[in-house]
Amino acid sequence: MLLPQIALKIPPAKVLRYLGIKNSTDHWPELLRQIEAVIQAGKVLATPTAAITQVPFCLEQQGVVIGSMPDLVLGDAALRKISAVSVVAVTVGEAIEQEVTRLFNKGETTKGVIMDAVGTVAVEELSEQVIGLAARQMGVRGLYATAKLGPGYQDMPLEYLPAVLQLAEAWQINITCNEFCQMKPSKSLCFFIGWVPEPPKIREKCDLCQKADCLYRCWNGRREEFVL
């Protein structure tokens, strides 16, 4: 299922987090105004699109084996009671990263750094919005989303990325990767979501990490829903 023209959310607080700022911005009103201006520019530049589909799987002793990829095993313990598996690809397009390059070339370093953070937050928020939409649909079946699982996440090697992109039919939204498993556009994500009959204890990848003071830690464990 293709999801074009998604209404993108880019919270300023999360942009601040990706900029490495965790204290109050009360003393930096000009910085906050600049961030909000770049966010608005980023929303104009972004072309948020997504592809999501359910994939066949079977439960083996070592974990969940994706039917069309017998070498790919999802070993997360939350998946032992799995009822369905979805593969998701999302991107906000190339324009934001092109604008980052342009700003750096012009010597507007601060704006370039902020725009790069805006792009990172945009694609992360887009993935959560897509999961929220799918969660509304799967909730009718009494199913709940697990944490994201994908190449580079937890124990899944990054080398699986080309195969997962193919499984997601990511070419439909113009996502590719090179021989070094770098995605193009760079502000893109590809991952699996498991669907289980009860809310999983681990809902975010950060739940697996004990570094509570990490600037990039997810602030809450809830999925945000949205309406197309």
Side-chain angles (χ1 to χ4, degrees):
M1 178 174 61
L2 296 180
L3 301 174
Q5 304 298 323
I6 298 172
L8 192 59
K9 300 175 182 178
I10 307 177
K14 291 190 177 181
V15 174
L16 284 167
R17 183 184 69 181
Y18 275 96
L19 290 171
I21 300 171
K22 64 179 179 179
N23 296 322
S24 171
T25 58
D26 292 343
H27 302 297
W28 306 314
E30 180 56 37
L31 174 61
L32 189 56
R33 282 194 293 269
Q34 190 170 15
I35 288 172
E36 291 174 341
V38 175
I39 286 175
Q40 294 307 311
K43 287 183 177 180
V44 173
L45 293 168
T47 52
T49 54
I52 179 171
T53 186
Q54 289 191 36
V55 294
F57 70 95
C58 60
L59 291 173
E60 303 289 350
Q61 185 174 1
Q62 69 271 33
V64 179
V65 178
I66 302 301
S68 59
M69 300 172 62
D71 293 332
L72 177 56
V73 178
L74 308 180
D76 192 281
L79 301 177
R80 296 301 179 182
K81 298 180 180 179
I82 196 169
S83 297
V85 176
S86 297
V87 61
V88 181
V90 299
T91 184
V92 293
E94 294 184 316
I96 287 181
E97 58 190 278
Q98 291 171 349
E99 178 66 3
V100 171
T101 300
R102 189 188 71 83
L103 289 168
F104 274 101
N105 288 340
K106 286 183 60 180
E108 297 185 33
T109 306
T110 300
K111 284 187 178 180
V113 171
I114 295 173
M115 183 63 77
D116 185 67
V118 165
T120 299
V121 172
V123 74
E124 289 283 355
E125 289 295 297
L126 176 59
S127 71
E128 292 302 314
Q129 288 178 269
V130 171
I131 294 170
L133 174 63
R136 291 176 61 187
Q137 297 173 334
M138 300 300 277
V140 176
R141 297 167 53 184
L143 299 177
Y144 300 85
T146 65
K148 296 192 290 280
L149 302 168
Y153 287 69
Q154 300 170 26
D155 298 324
M156 188 182 297
L158 190 59
E159 289 74 21
Y160 279 113
L161 180 60
V164 178
L165 285 173
Q166 183 177 6
L167 191 64
E169 298 184 345
W171 56 267
Q172 295 185 86
I173 53 175
N174 300 315
I175 301 177
T176 60
C177 72
N178 62 21
E179 64 271 26
F180 304 107
C181 293
Q182 297 171 319
M183 279 191 282
K184 184 177 178 62
S186 63
K187 302 303 184 185
S188 304
L189 290 172
C190 189
F191 53 89
F192 292 97
I193 287 290
W195 300 99
V196 291
E198 57 186 37
K201 294 180 180 179
I202 295 176
R203 302 195 61 192
E204 302 289 350
K205 59 183 179 180
C206 293
D207 293 338
L208 297 169
C209 177
Q210 301 302 313
K211 189 171 176 57
D213 61 345
C214 176
L215 284 173
Y216 305 104
R217 190 175 184 86
C218 294
W219 288 353
N220 58 56
R222 66 184 178 87
R223 304 287 189 190
E224 292 191 41
E225 295 184 352
F226 77 114
V227 179
L228 288 175

Short mmCIF file of all heavy atoms in Angstrom, two decimals, residues 58-65 73-77 79-80:
data_model
loop_
_atom_site.label_atom_id
_atom_site.label_comp_id
_atom_site.label_asym_id
_atom_site.label_seq_id
_atom_site.Cartn_x
_atom_site.Cartn_y
_atom_site.Cartn_z
N CYS A 58 7.12 -17.38 9.06
CA CYS A 58 6.87 -18.61 9.83
C CYS A 58 7.69 -18.54 11.11
O CYS A 58 8.75 -17.91 11.16
CB CYS A 58 7.21 -19.86 9.02
SG CYS A 58 8.92 -19.98 8.48
N LEU A 59 7.17 -19.16 12.15
CA LEU A 59 7.84 -19.16 13.44
C LEU A 59 8.75 -20.38 13.55
O LEU A 59 8.30 -21.52 13.41
CB LEU A 59 6.82 -19.19 14.57
CG LEU A 59 5.99 -17.91 14.77
CD1 LEU A 59 4.89 -18.14 15.80
CD2 LEU A 59 6.88 -16.76 15.20
N GLU A 60 10.03 -20.14 13.78
CA GLU A 60 11.01 -21.18 13.97
C GLU A 60 11.63 -21.03 15.35
O GLU A 60 11.38 -20.03 16.05
CB GLU A 60 12.10 -21.12 12.89
CG GLU A 60 11.58 -21.22 11.47
CD GLU A 60 11.06 -22.61 11.12
OE1 GLU A 60 11.29 -23.53 11.93
OE2 GLU A 60 10.43 -22.76 10.06
N GLN A 61 12.44 -22.00 15.75
CA GLN A 61 13.04 -21.95 17.07
C GLN A 61 13.92 -20.72 17.25
O GLN A 61 13.96 -20.12 18.33
CB GLN A 61 13.88 -23.21 17.32
CG GLN A 61 14.45 -23.29 18.74
CD GLN A 61 15.14 -24.61 18.99
OE1 GLN A 61 15.22 -25.47 18.12
NE2 GLN A 61 15.65 -24.80 20.20
N GLN A 62 14.61 -20.30 16.18
CA GLN A 62 15.52 -19.17 16.30
C GLN A 62 14.81 -17.83 16.21
O GLN A 62 15.40 -16.78 16.48
CB GLN A 62 16.60 -19.25 15.21
CG GLN A 62 16.12 -19.04 13.78
CD GLN A 62 15.67 -20.32 13.10
OE1 GLN A 62 15.14 -21.21 13.75
NE2 GLN A 62 15.90 -20.40 11.80
N GLY A 63 13.54 -17.82 15.82
CA GLY A 63 12.80 -16.57 15.73
C GLY A 63 11.83 -16.58 14.58
O GLY A 63 11.38 -17.64 14.13
N VAL A 64 11.48 -15.41 14.08
CA VAL A 64 10.54 -15.26 12.98
C VAL A 64 11.32 -15.23 11.67
O VAL A 64 12.19 -14.38 11.47
CB VAL A 64 9.72 -13.97 13.12
CG1 VAL A 64 8.77 -13.81 11.94
CG2 VAL A 64 8.95 -13.97 14.42
N VAL A 65 11.01 -16.17 10.79
CA VAL A 65 11.68 -16.26 9.50
C VAL A 65 10.75 -15.67 8.44
O VAL A 65 9.60 -16.09 8.30
CB VAL A 65 12.04 -17.71 9.14
CG1 VAL A 65 12.70 -17.79 7.77
CG2 VAL A 65 12.95 -18.32 10.20
N VAL A 73 16.07 -13.54 9.86
CA VAL A 73 15.39 -13.98 11.08
C VAL A 73 15.22 -12.79 12.01
O VAL A 73 16.18 -12.09 12.33
CB VAL A 73 16.19 -15.10 11.80
CG1 VAL A 73 15.48 -15.51 13.09
CG2 VAL A 73 16.38 -16.29 10.89
N LEU A 74 13.98 -12.54 12.43
CA LEU A 74 13.70 -11.52 13.43
C LEU A 74 13.66 -12.22 14.78
O LEU A 74 12.77 -13.01 15.07
CB LEU A 74 12.36 -10.83 13.15
CG LEU A 74 12.17 -10.28 11.73
CD1 LEU A 74 10.79 -9.63 11.60
CD2 LEU A 74 13.26 -9.29 11.38
N GLY A 75 14.64 -11.92 15.62
CA GLY A 75 14.79 -12.69 16.85
C GLY A 75 14.22 -12.04 18.09
O GLY A 75 14.42 -12.54 19.19
N ASP A 76 13.52 -10.92 17.96
CA ASP A 76 12.99 -10.21 19.12
C ASP A 76 12.00 -11.09 19.88
O ASP A 76 11.11 -11.70 19.29
CB ASP A 76 12.30 -8.92 18.67
CG ASP A 76 12.00 -8.01 19.85
OD1 ASP A 76 11.01 -8.28 20.54
OD2 ASP A 76 12.75 -7.06 20.06
N ALA A 77 12.15 -11.12 21.20
CA ALA A 77 11.29 -11.98 22.03
C ALA A 77 9.82 -11.61 21.94
O ALA A 77 8.94 -12.46 22.10
CB ALA A 77 11.75 -11.92 23.49
N LEU A 79 8.14 -11.12 19.48
CA LEU A 79 7.52 -11.67 18.28
C LEU A 79 7.08 -13.13 18.43
O LEU A 79 6.58 -13.72 17.49
CB LEU A 79 8.49 -11.56 17.08
CG LEU A 79 8.93 -10.14 16.74
CD1 LEU A 79 9.95 -10.17 15.61
CD2 LEU A 79 7.75 -9.28 16.35
N ARG A 80 7.26 -13.71 19.60
CA ARG A 80 6.92 -15.12 19.79
C ARG A 80 5.42 -15.38 19.63
O ARG A 80 5.01 -16.49 19.30
CB ARG A 80 7.38 -15.61 21.17
CG ARG A 80 8.89 -15.59 21.36
CD ARG A 80 9.59 -16.46 20.35
NE ARG A 80 11.04 -16.42 20.50
CZ ARG A 80 11.90 -17.06 19.73
NH1 ARG A 80 11.44 -17.79 18.71
NH2 ARG A 80 13.20 -16.96 19.93
#
